[in-house]
Amino acid sequence: MTAILGISALYHDSAAALLVDGEIVAAAQEERFTRRKHDPRFPARAIAYVLEEAGIGLDAVDHVVFYDKPFLKFERLLETYLAVAPRGFNSFRMAMPVWLREKLFLKDLLKKELRKFDRGFQEARLMFAEHHISHAASAFFPSPFEEAVVLTIDGVGEWATTTVGIGRGHDLEIRKELHFPHSLGLLYSAFTYYTGFKVNSGEYKVMGLAPYGTPRFKALILDKVVEVKEDGSFRLNQKYFNYASGLTMTSKAMEELFGAPVRQPESEELTQFHMDIAASVQAVTEEIMLRLTRALAREYQIDSLCLAGGVALNCVANGKILRDGAFKNIWIQPAAGDAGGALGAAQAAWHMELGQPRKINGADSMRGGYLGPGYSDDQIAEELTRAGAVFERLDEAAMIDATAQALAGGKAIGWFQGRMEFGPRALGGRSILGDPRSEVMQKLLNLKVKYRESFRPFAPSVLREHVGDWFELDGDSPYMLIVADVQKDIRRDMTAAEQALFGIDKLNVKRSEIPAVTHVDYSARVQTVHRETNPKYHALISRFNELTGCPLVVNTSFNVRGEPIVCTPEDAFRCFMGTEIELLVAGNHVLRKEAQDPALRENYEEKYELD
């Protein structure tokens, strides 16, 4: 047996992943255990979990692999500060103590932490992978492809911000790189900051806001802010940014260019201007990604594309790449951000360092993304009892029927089943579910359950065998990373008065037979549900279809705004009691809100820092 532990840590989204003889046994983010969103600390809890899942101690692990090379990152930091000196001194002054205390001596920190698991841990077992190799490995090695172009796009690793690799068998070679400060991820993050959202967590809000606007600034951004070549390579005009030298993402020049200051999130409302800015940066991102992928398809003449890095979570752009058809097949790592680097680092060691072959059987090796902790019915009952919950335990068929009936009756359901998902999306393991036919469900879930902005869209989970009947998608999207349009025959034409509406006023217009998951531009972020990877979720949606003639449900992550997705039955019960979720279904246990002790209610609306 050969066991490899991959770790990502100390920037954001720390995580651990474990391979045993090349098979993915377990992977999880530290935030799920600590309940601290995007937790960057050493992932001690996640490591403890993956080892427990495999039934081994750290002493049985052959190699521990860290997902990037801190000395290269430090080199980039120093060179950047020297290039812009004396500007950036405040940023330098704040960054250096952390680097000198922790990150520069990362090897010592890792040894110290790992010896808490295995007192005899030796440095010889420690390996380091480059950041973009970790991303690229996480994209290619679990994919179902024998050969693929591998594109990784994020903020920045050590120096690279965009890389192109070619994967064949168990080989992966990086062919091209774009370097800091020219970064599509940092461009998107700069506009996230400019529109008043939090960098490294609010980017998906910009993507969700974009359809409410028109991309009237796209030409201005392409003229002044980012120069894009025909092959998709690009350069950012640093005049408009401050991330290389300062403590903010954008400079005064950005405010002068668009004629407005950075939006203050707590005091300033979103306006049509901010929606148009969001639409414009989204359109620029799509333009760059389409030029990149078309050029790569022409150059390498390979049918398949793999994607990772934080920008690969831009599911609107992914949908456009798929429909563009330059590549016949696309596979995106579901944990595309830094958390997935833990998995990629382990896989890079197994295949590239140890030279082990890949097993390709026509499906990816991510097990549907269900790589986190799972709980037996007895364990669930024990935790719920300890928390003071009142519940009934049904057999599986009765539980499925009761849940489907409640969904058909318009109830918001907390759904806690099987193993927790790895990555930022809930995929039917730790989900809040609703009826997609409801005209009020989208607003209800946003304002009364998630405690978040009303404009944010929800995703449909649809039976794979019915996806083409409801969406303009002919293929798999198991990880909710592809946006497709709702089929024309279930859309509702808008009246002239409705078409004249602007911005957020568009929100309440019914657009289709499934209004709760149809965004204002008739799009939806689709998750296809497969009997092979999640039989219980598939059975629930099948029963809902029998009751309603609708083979899909609303699926959003089981958490409130600012909270990590729930991990344990106790987490699920607390969130259930702190929100207006009406029914919690954990394993085969059904909990009704009206049966619970009202003294156990929590004020979840203010419990977590806003994301």
Side-chain angles (χ1 to χ4, degrees), residues 222-256:
L222 289 172
D223 182 45
K224 300 286 188 185
V225 181
V226 55
E227 176 193 2
V228 187
K229 300 284 199 304
E230 193 55 41
D231 66 357
S233 59
F234 56 89
R235 292 183 65 81
L236 302 190
N237 184 343
Q238 291 302 300
K239 169 184 173 182
Y240 298 101
F241 302 95
N242 199 28
Y243 55 74
S245 62
L247 300 175
T248 59
M249 292 298 296
T250 58
S251 69
K252 285 289 181 191
M254 183 81 85
E255 299 181 359
E256 289 163 6

Side-chain angles (χ1 to χ4, degrees), residues 7-9 11 65-69 73 129-131 134 338 341-342 345:
I7 296 173
S8 65
Y11 296 96
V65 195
F66 193 72
Y67 82 126
D68 72 4
K69 294 190 172 180
K73 193 168 277 192
E130 281 196 34
H131 187 93
S134 296
D338 273 11

Side-chain angles (χ1 to χ4, degrees), residues 480-493:
M480 209 188 280
L481 286 168
I482 300 288
V483 163
D485 286 342
V486 170
Q487 282 287 9
K488 290 184 173 61
D489 62 351
I490 62 165
R491 294 185 195 177
R492 173 188 168 273
D493 291 330

Side-chain angles (χ1 to χ4, degrees), residues 295-307:
L296 294 173
R298 282 195 303 270
E299 181 175 357
Y300 292 110
Q301 297 293 304
I302 293 172
D303 285 343
S304 300
L305 173 70
C306 296
L307 290 167

Side-chain angles (χ1 to χ4, degrees), residues 187 190-192 194-195 214-226 240-241 250-263 271 273-274 276-281 284:
L187 173 73
F191 279 92
T192 299
Y194 183 68
T195 49
T214 55
R216 62 190 174 100
F217 300 111
K218 178 184 176 184
L220 183 62
I221 294 170
L222 289 172
D223 182 45
K224 300 286 188 185
V225 181
V226 55
Y240 298 101
F241 302 95
T250 58
S251 69
K252 285 289 181 191
M254 183 81 85
E255 299 181 359
E256 289 163 6
L257 181 66
F258 295 111
V262 171
R263 183 177 79 92
T271 66
F273 168 76
H274 300 112
D276 293 348
I277 287 283
S280 302
V281 72
V284 167

Side-chain angles (χ1 to χ4, degrees), residues 27 38 71 105 134 147 325 371 390 399 489 537 583 600 607-608:
H38 303 300
F71 271 105
F105 301 103
S134 296
E147 179 184 53
L371 298 170
V390 176
M399 178 276 289
D489 62 351
Y537 195 35
L583 196 76
L600 296 174
K607 182 168 182 176
Y608 290 93

Side-chain angles (χ1 to χ4, degrees), residues 11-23:
Y11 296 96
H12 53 91
D13 295 302
S14 291
L18 188 72
L19 304 185
V20 175
D21 293 335
E23 298 286 322

